[in-house]
Amino acid sequence: MTAAAEAAPSPPTDADARAGISPAPAGPSGSVAVLSLVAAIAGLVGALPLPSVPSALLVGFFVLCGPGAAVCTWVTLPRRTVLAAVPTLGMALTTLVTIAALWSSWWHPTALLVAGSVAVLASGIVHRRRTHTPAPDVRELRSRLTSRGLTAVRSPALRSTGFRVSVALCVAALTCWAVAVPTLPSVDASYYGLLFSGSGRLLIPATVLTAAAAVVAIATRSSSGLVVTIGTAIVVSRVTTWLGTEMPLYDWTYKHLAVVDYIQDTGTLTPGGTDIYAQWPAFFAVAAWFCDATGLDPMVLAHLFATVVHILLAVVVYATARTLSMSRVVALTAALIVETVNWVGQDYFAPQAWALVLAYGAIALLLASRRAPRAAVLAIIPFAAIVPSHQLTPFWVLGAAVVLVVLRRVRPWWAVAIMLGIAGAYLLANLEAVAPYGILSGGNPIDNAATNFTMAGVPAKETTSTVCRALSAGVVMAAGICALIGWRRRRAHWLTLAVLAFSALALLLGQSYGGEAIFRVYLYGLLGCALLIAPTLVWLLTGFARGGRDRLRAAGAAILVCAATLAGMYSYVALWPVIVETRAQYEAIDAITETAEPGTRFITLHPAGMPTRTNGNYAPMTLANPYFDYPLSFDLAGDRMTFPSPEQLGDLFWKVDQSDKPTYVTFTEQSRRISEYYGTYRPGAAAELEAALRVAPGWRLIHEDGDTAIFVFEPKPAASAP
């Protein structure tokens, strides 16, 4: 099959019909112009001195719909691509404008919001005048929306047995979830994670019921049922991280909040040399702008961030599948796959999550360029926003785009050449900052695929690793098999999707990314894997209606769907006992770090449970000592498995005594657990160190709350000369 033949629209085959693939019409949508006007008005209203929550909702609506819709009113895209283009372009343009404002030292968040809203409003008005479109009558618009709503409610699809069964299963799943959530913040999670701890066990039937609802919806081709199921899956897995905790998960979240806090306090970026975020600050710029413009507490934004990210990912994946002329059922199935098997946990308040949504959206635009070359030109916008946001993601997008250009699946080629120029120029401009981390970490993909923790820990660690590896390998192998099926049956776009699924593996040829490269490879490849698997999965599950061997295959596929969904949920919350943060711990350490003077040292066995970078004061502390909060192992004398021997304690106390600034040592239950989980220290090491500090001269206990303790050593002032 030639590249041109594959890239060109092809009539549906029998296999495609069985899988639910149908051709897609293209064309502009007049509603996009109206959307831009409504979003612009929302942005202007959001700029008023309103309470933070309604202001955040209005400004969030403007960001996701306003700028992108304004662009799409002037640039005609395939109708099915617009759904991905609007939020992607909105996020990208907002990112570029806010980081440009910081780079130019013009930081006025409310003024930026008003200017952006006015620009979008003016764009919509000018477009309507040029096209001689009459202003919409409010009564007519309300009547039209009401009519469409009633038509949708009375649709036969909502009265089908498949839809009703899938909704009933989703209601049962949400009931289990609702019973579990109120007590989750107080759950004492075991090493096997949240699913095997207290009320978290109710998430097991909730997950299985969600998977069963997906099977029913796919088997009966109920697109409405799939929409409900995807929403339920997001609630059960991602909303749990919001409503089931009192504080955002992960210590890394608070490092990112500290950068945002610095920008809000100073109106500038962190100084060069502070950390890698000083050179890749775009995500923090847009977060600081959003919180400044709306008055929303960044902690609240971080807490619900994962939920928002997964909603956006579901929309973009669906739109990408529709761009490739897949039917609604197949497209929704692809979105469901990405949602249920994404266990990596890179959805928290971080540049990676933001960049991933932009990357998937850029890919959708690139895939639309075969029919509409202007889409590839627009893809430059989200790519340009990714480059100053995240170090690794743009190079995956760039690698996949180059291969697709070579295969003539993307045009014009010069759009990708511009992307290459942007990424190369930015890397060269920040080469000095990247060099200490290593541009390349070796050419052995096996070594680069290794994780940071290779020690033997508790049995639960091996169980979790096995589940994660089995799920990841299963998804990749299934995608590979489906790619072979696509090749054998000459399905449209199989090679394009294979590139998206497996191109990220090339990253392992040059980077370990601090032991996280393998996780990013899986994350990047999920889009292509889901789009490869979805048509075959739909064909298998619809076999229930065909009978015979098809019914047996459908039953096997249904079991695999349930197993994969449960494995994804288990893996996603497996580290619950070590990633949960408490408000008491946060407030205790934040009160100390906010006023700590540069040169102060913070030591812990593992940075878990008590993040030391919680506010903007981390910047001067880092400039004074880049290692001020590195864990004990950073400069530990001898073997960790013998700590704390008398010699090692003596060395530690001597080093502390040499400093003219205070040294804090923190103990948390999360830190103790992560040490035992990974086996990084011998059992009881933390308790022995704590006991030694209680009696060591010069050390003072300044905070104790349950299993949390903070000790400080304050050097004596030097004696003044007579």
Side-chain angles (χ1 to χ4, degrees):
M1 188 181 221
T2 65
E6 184 193 341
S10 58
T13 63
D14 292 339
D16 292 338
R18 290 193 298 269
I21 299 176
S22 61
S29 174
S31 59
V32 174
V34 176
L35 178 62
S36 69
L37 292 171
V38 173
I41 294 171
L44 291 172
V45 175
L48 298 175
L50 302 174
S52 60
V53 173
S55 180
L57 291 173
L58 289 167
V59 176
F61 176 70
F62 166 73
V63 169
L64 295 177
C65 299
V71 172
C72 291
T73 58
W74 296 98
V75 182
T76 303
L77 293 174
R79 186 183 308 167
R80 293 174 174 180
T81 308
V82 170
L83 186 59
V86 168
T88 300
L89 292 171
M91 293 168 60
L93 289 168
T94 303
T95 302
L96 292 172
V97 168
T98 52
I99 190 57
L102 275 176
W103 279 336
S104 62
S105 300
W106 193 85
W107 186 247
H108 300 281
T110 302
L112 286 172
L113 172 59
V114 172
S117 301
V118 169
V120 172
L121 184 64
S123 169
I125 293 173
V126 171
H127 180 270
R128 296 187 70 84
R129 287 185 176 180
R130 286 198 176 185
T131 56
H132 304 289
T133 305
D137 182 81
V138 176
R139 292 181 180 178
E140 180 184 351
L141 184 60
R142 184 173 57 188
S143 175
R144 190 186 308 168
L145 291 174
T146 303
S147 176
R148 288 183 179 180
L150 291 174
T151 301
V153 170
R154 295 168 181 170
S155 170
L158 301 186
R159 297 196 298 269
S160 67
T161 302
F163 173 76
R164 291 179 176 177
V165 172
S166 60
V167 168
L169 291 170
C170 287
V171 169
L174 292 173
T175 300
C176 294
W177 174 81
V179 173
V181 163
T183 56
L184 289 183
S186 60
V187 163
D188 183 18
S190 76
Y191 285 126
Y192 286 95
L194 185 60
L195 293 192
F196 294 92
S197 308
S199 61
R201 295 182 178 91
L202 287 172
L203 297 180
I204 296 177
T207 303
V208 174
L209 286 167
T210 303
V215 169
V216 172
I218 296 171
T220 58
R221 297 182 181 276
S222 173
S223 57
S224 301
L226 272 170
V227 171
V228 175
T229 303
I230 292 171
T232 302
I234 292 174
V235 169
V236 171
S237 57
R238 319 305 173 178
V239 178
T240 298
T241 65
W242 170 24
L243 299 183
T245 58
E246 61 174 335
M247 298 285 287
L249 299 175
Y250 302 106
D251 268 35
W252 279 101
T253 298
Y254 299 88
K255 295 185 178 183
H256 301 155
L257 286 169
V259 182
V260 173
D261 184 68
Y262 183 90
I263 296 173
Q264 289 185 292
D265 284 347
T266 66
T268 62
L269 294 172
T270 52
T274 305
D275 49 32
I276 199 70
Y277 301 141
Q279 280 70 40
W280 275 267
F283 166 74
F284 308 105
V286 71
W289 166 81
F290 184 82
C291 292
D292 272 346
T294 63
L296 188 70
D297 186 347
M299 191 75 71
V300 175
L301 177 62
H303 209 175
L304 56 84
F305 193 74
T307 301
V308 176
V309 164
H310 281 274
I311 293 172
L312 291 172
L313 285 175
V315 170
V316 173
V317 172
Y318 170 79
T320 304
R322 295 290 283 162
T323 297
L324 295 176
S325 300
M326 296 182 183
S327 71
R328 288 188 178 89
V329 171
V330 174
L332 289 167
T333 301
L336 182 70
I337 292 171
V338 170
E339 175 57 34
T340 53
V341 302
N342 183 359
W343 60 268
V344 177
Q346 288 294 333
D347 51 6
Y348 65 100
F349 186 75
Q352 175 65 93
W354 186 259
L356 186 67
V357 177
L358 291 173
Y360 279 15
I363 292 294
L365 289 167
L366 289 172
L367 295 180
S369 69
R370 190 63 192 175
R371 296 180 179 178
R374 63 186 70 88
V377 179
L378 286 183
I380 297 172
I381 298 174
F383 183 83
I386 297 170
V387 169
S389 298
H390 195 248
Q391 301 86 15
L392 193 63
T393 304
F395 293 98
W396 164 63
V397 175
L398 189 60
V402 168
V403 175
L404 292 175
V405 165
V406 172
L407 296 175
R408 298 185 180 180
R409 270 59 170 186
V410 169
R411 61 173 184 166
W413 64 268
W414 52 262
V416 176
I418 291 175
M419 295 180 185
L420 180 61
I422 293 172
Y426 198 85
L427 179 61
L428 289 174
N430 295 281
L431 198 58
E432 186 178 348
V434 178
Y437 298 90
I439 298 176
L440 297 175
S441 56
N444 189 328
I446 296 177
D447 291 343
N448 289 335
T451 60
N452 289 326
F453 297 99
T454 57
M455 299 77 73
V458 296
K461 172 182 175 290
E462 297 305 317
T463 300
T464 299
S465 297
T466 300
V467 173
C468 293
R469 290 170 183 166
L471 176 60
S472 304
V475 170
V476 174
M477 289 177 61
I481 293 171
C482 291
L484 289 175
I485 293 173
W487 170 62
R488 291 284 301 273
R489 297 185 179 182
R490 298 193 176 188
R491 284 183 177 173
H493 309 297
W494 72 269
L495 185 55
T496 298
L497 299 181
V499 170
L500 296 181
F502 307 119
S503 59
L505 292 169
L507 295 173
L508 298 178
L509 296 176
Q511 259 292 345
S512 66
Y513 203 65
E516 295 186 4
I518 189 62
F519 304 127
R520 310 305 170 104
V521 167
Y522 179 72
L523 196 65
Y524 297 151
L526 269 182
L527 176 63
C529 288
L531 294 174
L532 280 169
I533 295 170
T536 301
L537 181 60
V538 171
W539 179 81
L540 286 172
L541 290 177
T542 51
F544 280 116
R546 295 191 294 270
R549 293 183 178 180
D550 285 346
R551 184 169 294 176
L552 291 176
R553 284 193 288 262
I559 293 172
L560 287 176
V561 168
C562 293
T565 303
L566 189 58
M569 183 61 179
Y570 169 80
S571 302
Y572 183 65
V573 296
L575 294 179
W576 198 265
V578 300
I579 62 175
V580 168
E581 312 282 339
T582 68
R583 188 172 300 279
Q585 290 174 328
Y586 168 79
E587 291 176 347
I589 195 65
D590 185 59
I592 296 172
T593 58
E594 191 169 21
T595 57
E597 55 183 322
T600 302
R601 178 84 163 93
F602 290 85
I603 299 174
T604 183
L605 267 68
H606 277 287
M610 192 163 281
T612 49
R613 302 190 184 197
T614 58
N615 51 66
N617 193 39
Y618 95 96
M621 294 177 67
T622 304
L623 290 173
N625 177 11
Y627 315 109
F628 83 91
D629 60 348
Y630 272 39
L632 178 67
S633 59
F634 169 67
D635 55 356
L636 178 66
D639 187 359
R640 282 187 293 186
M641 299 312 294
T642 64
F643 183 81
S645 67
E647 295 79 9
Q648 289 172 315
L649 282 176
D651 180 78
L652 173 63
F653 293 157
W654 179 83
K655 290 176 180 176
V656 168
D657 194 48
Q658 301 309 299
S659 174
D660 61 348
K661 303 297 181 184
T663 298
Y664 293 85
V665 178
T666 63
F667 296 90
T668 66
E669 180 63 18
Q670 298 96 317
S671 180
R672 295 185 185 92
R673 287 190 170 191
I674 201 170
S675 176
E676 185 175 348
Y677 185 84
Y678 289 111
T680 50
Y681 291 91
R682 64 183 180 83
E688 292 179 29
L689 175 60
E690 183 177 343
L693 293 180
R694 289 181 182 274
V695 298
W699 288 91
R700 181 166 56 93
L701 178 66
I702 60 172
H703 176 82
E704 188 169 23
D705 181 11
D707 295 317
T708 302
I710 304 176
F711 292 84
V712 64
F713 181 90
E714 297 174 305
K716 296 180 181 179
S720 58

